[in-house]
């Protein structure tokens, strides 16, 4: 049985751990060749080893997504190596720590770094890889969050802005037959959330769901594979929620 991503190239940012690592492994299990991007060099090595153990090829590159010049250089290097890139998954982002402070509690330098990584890097990377994405009539996925619908924190604002950028990117890249969508996860039972959220906060947010299920990285990966595949070919310019109907999001479209 043919795998969905055989002979396809998938680039994923934030691939060294967490959701990005899980998604990279799932794409590899479906036959994809991976381009792994992250600032965490050791984490990249670990992900790459797991992918090669599955029999898939991968390229690992360390990148600081707050650096627009580094993104442009990365794009040039990848375009020399890959004539087609079928999927760009802009998964990387900052989600814990200072970025969760209220809007007036963060200085301008920090604001600009957070916006650079969470909001603008997906645009700049897609722009840098546009020729290869166009050759593949590819797909761009941006990692949003249910926090985009309650932007009282810096993090929420960066993800709310990313939703708007996703809309703009879909229109910008449409002439090259590149689809652009975003995924907005709810609270996920990942190592990052366990390390960063106290039990009471996790249970409070999880308790706002319409079901008692605990979201996992595989839930996000399953959605990403669907949206990036031919099965999702008619879905474009959307923010797709994966949060068990969490009430934090409310009814806002």
């Amino acid at each position: 049985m043919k795998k969905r991503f055989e002979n396809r190239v998938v680039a994923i940012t934030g691939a060294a751990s967490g959701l990005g690592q899980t998604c990279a492994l799932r794409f590899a299990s479906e036959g994809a060749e991976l381009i792994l991007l992250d600032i965490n060099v050791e984490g990249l090595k670990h992900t790459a080893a797991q992918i090669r153990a599955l029999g898939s090829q991968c390229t690992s590159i360390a990148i600081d997504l707050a650096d627009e010049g580094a993104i442009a250089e990365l794009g040039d290097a990848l375009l020399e190596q890959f004539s087609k890139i079928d999927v760009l998954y802009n998964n990387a982002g900052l989600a814990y720590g200072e970025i969760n402070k209220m809007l007036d509690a963060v200085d301008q330098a920090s604001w600009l770094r957070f916006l650079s990584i969470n909001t603008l890097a997906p645009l700049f990377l897609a722009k840098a890889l546009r020729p290869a994405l166009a050759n593949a009539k590819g797909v761009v996925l941006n990692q949003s969050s249910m926090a985009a619908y309650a932007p009282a924190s810096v993090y929420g604002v960066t993800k709310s802005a990313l939703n708007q950028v996703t809309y703009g990117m879909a229109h910008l890249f449409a002439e090259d037959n590149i689809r652009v969508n975003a995924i907005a996860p709810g609270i996920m039972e990942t190592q990052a959330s366990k390390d960063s959220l106290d039990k009471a906060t996790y249970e409070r947010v999880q308790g706002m769901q319409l079901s008692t299920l605990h979201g996992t990285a595989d839930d996000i990966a399953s959605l990403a594979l669907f949206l990036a595949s031919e099965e999702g070919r008619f879905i474009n310019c959307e923010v797709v929620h994966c949060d068990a109907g969490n009430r934090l999001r409310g009814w806002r479209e």
Side-chain angles (χ1 to χ4, degrees):
M1 185 176 183
K2 185 177 180 181
K3 297 180 179 179
R4 282 186 288 180
F5 291 91
E6 281 184 8
N7 303 314
R8 296 191 179 188
V9 177
V10 177
I12 301 182
T13 66
S17 61
L19 293 177
Q21 183 183 77
T22 296
C23 289
L25 292 170
R26 287 285 300 278
F27 274 107
S29 71
E30 289 274 6
E33 178 177 354
L34 272 297
I35 301 170
L36 307 175
L37 306 170
D38 205 297
I39 199 170
N40 180 349
V41 175
E42 290 305 311
L44 282 176
K45 291 179 181 177
H46 183 59
T47 303
Q50 293 182 72
I51 286 172
R52 294 187 179 111
L54 292 172
S56 293
Q57 294 181 306
C58 68
T59 300
S60 300
I61 302 175
I63 177 73
D64 179 359
L65 292 171
D67 186 339
E68 183 183 0
I71 292 174
E73 291 178 6
L74 170 68
D76 290 341
L78 289 177
L79 291 178
E80 287 186 8
Q81 186 174 352
F82 298 95
S83 61
K84 291 183 179 181
I85 294 176
D86 298 272
V87 182
L88 168 61
Y89 191 174
N90 289 304
N91 162 76
L94 301 173
Y96 301 104
E98 185 184 18
I99 197 170
N100 278 300
K101 290 183 176 180
M102 301 299 286
L103 309 189
D104 62 351
V106 173
D107 62 26
Q108 186 182 46
S110 295
W111 259 109
L112 293 175
R113 177 170 174 77
F114 295 147
L115 286 166
S116 294
I117 294 171
N118 282 15
T119 310
L120 297 176
L123 169 63
F124 293 147
L125 185 53
K127 176 184 175 182
L129 298 179
R130 183 169 184 167
L133 288 164
N135 287 341
K137 296 182 179 179
V139 177
V140 177
L141 297 176
N142 294 332
Q143 195 81 297
S144 182
S145 169
M146 68 176 179
Y149 300 92
S153 67
V154 176
Y155 175 69
V157 169
T158 66
K159 293 301 186 177
S160 181
L162 178 61
N163 289 355
Q164 316 314 312
V165 169
T166 298
Y167 178 93
M169 288 173 65
H171 287 75
L172 179 65
F173 296 126
E175 65 184 56
D176 288 330
N177 294 304
I178 300 169
R179 291 191 293 116
V180 184
N181 291 298
I183 295 173
I187 192 163
M188 294 288 144
E189 199 172 46
T190 63
Q191 192 60 51
S193 68
K194 290 177 181 177
D195 291 344
S196 304
L197 298 176
D198 59 73
K199 183 179 179 181
T201 300
Y202 179 91
E203 290 179 349
R204 176 177 60 81
V205 178
Q206 199 268 342
M208 297 173 72
Q209 296 176 177
L210 298 183
S211 77
T212 58
L213 294 172
H214 290 267
T216 70
D218 271 314
D219 291 313
I220 303 304
S222 294
L223 177 56
L225 265 70
F226 167 72
L227 290 173
S229 73
E230 284 301 306
E231 294 167 301
R233 68 186 184 90
F234 207 56
I235 301 172
N236 196 10
C237 198
E238 289 286 351
V239 178
V240 183
H241 311 118
C242 189
D243 60 10
N246 199 296
R247 295 179 182 88
L248 179 65
R249 168 165 53 88
W251 189 79
R252 296 177 188 175
E253 295 292 342

